[in-house]
Structure formats: C-alpha cells, structure tokens
Amino acid sequence: MSKFDFSRKRHGLYFLAFLVLFSCQNTVDQETDAIVIGGGLMGSAAGWQLAKEGLSVVLLEMQDTVYEQGSSFGEARIARSNNRGNDIWSYLHNKSVSETIGLIDYLNSTAQGSPYSIEDVYTTSPVTYVGRNSIYEKLFASLIRQKVEYDMAVNTLEGETKYNVTLPDDVLIQREYNKHSGTMNPAALIKLLHKGIIGKGNEVKYNHKVTRISFNGKRQLYNVEVRDLMRNEAKVFSAKKVVSAVGPYTGQLLQEIAPYFQTLITPQRVFLSFLKIKEEVYGNLSLEQKEKLQSFYPVINSAKGTRDGSFFSMIEYFEEDIPIIKIGGHFQRSDISELDQVWSEKLTDHELEWSLNSTADYMRLLKLPIGKEDFEVVNGYSCVYSLTDSEVPLVTPIKAPDTNMPNQNFVVMGGMSGVGAKGAMTYGLFAADALRNTTSESDSLYFVTAEAVGFKRLQQD
C-alpha cells in the first residue's frame, strides 16, 4: 500500500468517526406529539390539557418531584372571583375552578373510591379587600357584573358596626363570599396535574433541564436538547408541537427560536415573608379574636393608595395551631443580577421591616391587640415575577419566521407577574387550544380573554 493510499484511508476513518460522533450527538432519544417545558403551574396545566385531548406529551421539569423554587412554589395563593373593573381576571379564576373540578373528576374515575377533592386545592374563605373610596364606583359595578356574593363597609361607622374594625372615612372594606374564593394551593394542584398527565399514559420527567431548542426544517420538528441532571447525560426530545412555560428563563431559552422575548419579558425579584404571632400573645387572644383574625385573611390591602403601601397577605399554614401569615407586595420589586442564584437570596432588613409594619398596621385596623413586636419572622424567600411592559401575561404562539403570522406549533406562556396562579388552569387551556388552532369553548369571555393574552397582545408588546 502506498503512503498516499494509507493517508487517504486514515482520513476516511477520521471522517467516518466524525460522522458517527455527530450522529450520536444528534440522535433523538424520544419523539412525541408535544413537549411541554416547565413543570410549574403553567406548564403542568398545559400538559394536562394536551394529554386530555389525546396527544402524547412529555413534560420536562428541571427540579425534582418536590417543587422547591419558582413562582409556583408554596402552599397558598389568593383565589378570588372579583377583580375590579376587568372581567377577564374574574373569568380566569372561575374557569380555572371548573377545569380543576374536571381534573379531579377524572382522577377519581381512575382510582378506587374518591380520594381526591376540590378542597385539596381550594380553601373557601372570605376574601377581604381594603382600598380607597375612590374605587367604589368601579368596584360596585364589577361586583354586580361578575356576580360576586359580597358585603361592604364604606365609612368609619359602617366599619365599626359591621366588622368591628377601625376604618378611616376615605377607606372601604369589601368582603367576597363566593365558593372557592379564598386561597388555592399551587403545590397540591401541580401534584394532581402530574397524576393526570401520567394517568393519560404520558410522562413527567423530573431533573431534566432544557439547554437548547432548535428546529429541524427537513422533518418539521423541534429538537429539545436536555441535560438529565441525575445521570449527567445529554438527551434530545423531538416533537412537532412545543409549549414553553419557563417563566423568567423564557428569554434565554428562546434566543434561537424567538429572540424578541429577551426584551418582552423582564424578570424581577419579589420577596415573601412568613410571620408567626408569638405563642404567649396568641394564647392570650380570646376565641372570638382568633376567629376574627383567621376570617380576615386572605387580604388585598391598598388602603394607603400607594404601590409601596399595597400588600397581599394570607395564612400559609398552621404551626401548633398558630397561623403562619405570609405577606408580600406585587410592587416590592428589585433587579436581578444572577437568575440562578436569586431564589436563595436572603431578605434585607428593610424588606423584613416592611413586612412587620404592614402586618401590624392591618392588626390595628382589625382592632386586635397584636403589635409589631409581637411577631417573629419564621421564614422568608425570594421569588421572581416575569413581567411584560403592559404587565398583562402572554399565552401566545411565537411569530412564524419572516412573517407576522402566528406559528401554531410553538406556544409561549410567560409574563404572569402575580396573576398566574389563580388562572393557571385557564392559561393551560389557552395554550393547548392555540397549539390545536381550535377550541370547543363557546363562552364569549373565553375568546375575549384568550385574545387579551394571545398573539395580538404579543404584537402590541
């Protein structure tokens, strides 16, 4: 064999080895009808709706089976029908309740007995709204239009006689009594959604972090590259349809597919504090005072009329019969330097002080003998809002390449801010219907709400 022949053969072997390596790196490990990226409330709700409609679904979640960080983390969110002046928020909640009932009915139909209940997710209790009297006309009109069961006090005398509270003359209290208004449990709903997805013969893959999304034009499929964090292995999943529900990670994940989301969705840090009334103080409360305290949570309080003074608060859980009060503010936002590290960022002294002062102010309004010094901080964690400029969420197809037309095979759920949890099941329905480009819904509010968060909103933003 000549030197030339040997060299040609050697280069041929190198080329063959390169082809083998290249093909191994791009081998599709699994092909399915739809891939959903993100196993929080949004992605899980979309995955369930797709599975319910008969599509084969793989749900990819980078966390373990126990959800420990992200906007869906926790055991309580305010669930409410009334949303002043805007019926789409009311629709999102009410439709989510009915979709949750459907999920539970399915799970019970496949189990022995009826182990699942809507009460696993929703705790019905009065929702208290405290606000300036200037909102009265819009508030009253929305209460009638949205068919809310309520009562209200609009001045000091009514506050005293109706609720035994100290109400300034320029402040009102409205109380909502609709069934399934109160709080909802994101952690419980996520577990039920995953059971439903699996029950329909599909997969939820935990500890699978998506690293890249690309489009195979030849096969008209999306390749989703994943790192299996438990095995430290690279995998590729392939599907014609994809839902991205990764919250604050939307921009960096979609930089190849839809780079404009890097400017459309801005992550901002928010914080939540968990406060416990000191044992001896809570023990000295009368039974009537304890019942009053519990019945006036959850609350949305904007009595000061400022963003800094506005807060939401609820009872997250009980510790030795003492309620643990969670408090945060939709507008208590700060910039993020490292997205992967923000979840472990400790609360500042100022943030803790704001939490204690706001809660103590509410105790004074309720005429309860609990001061700022009577609370202890038991926990606090950082969360992230993914925000659009308009602060209206997006559940929308991305733009088709080189056009302003929607790409019906790729839907993004993002920009949920603080309004995601109570409407999660409805957002999931929108995402699934957008991928199918059809719906069986007939309620006019379905179409109004879907359009408000859909492709037209994407174009406007």
Side-chain angles (χ1 to χ4, degrees), residues 23 36 57 238:
S23 63
V36 180
V57 178
S238 184

Side-chain angles (χ1 to χ4, degrees), residues 228-241:
D228 182 335
L229 300 178
M230 294 297 287
R231 295 180 174 85
N232 196 26
E233 294 176 353
K235 298 180 180 178
V236 178
F237 295 86
S238 184
K240 183 177 182 180
K241 299 179 181 297

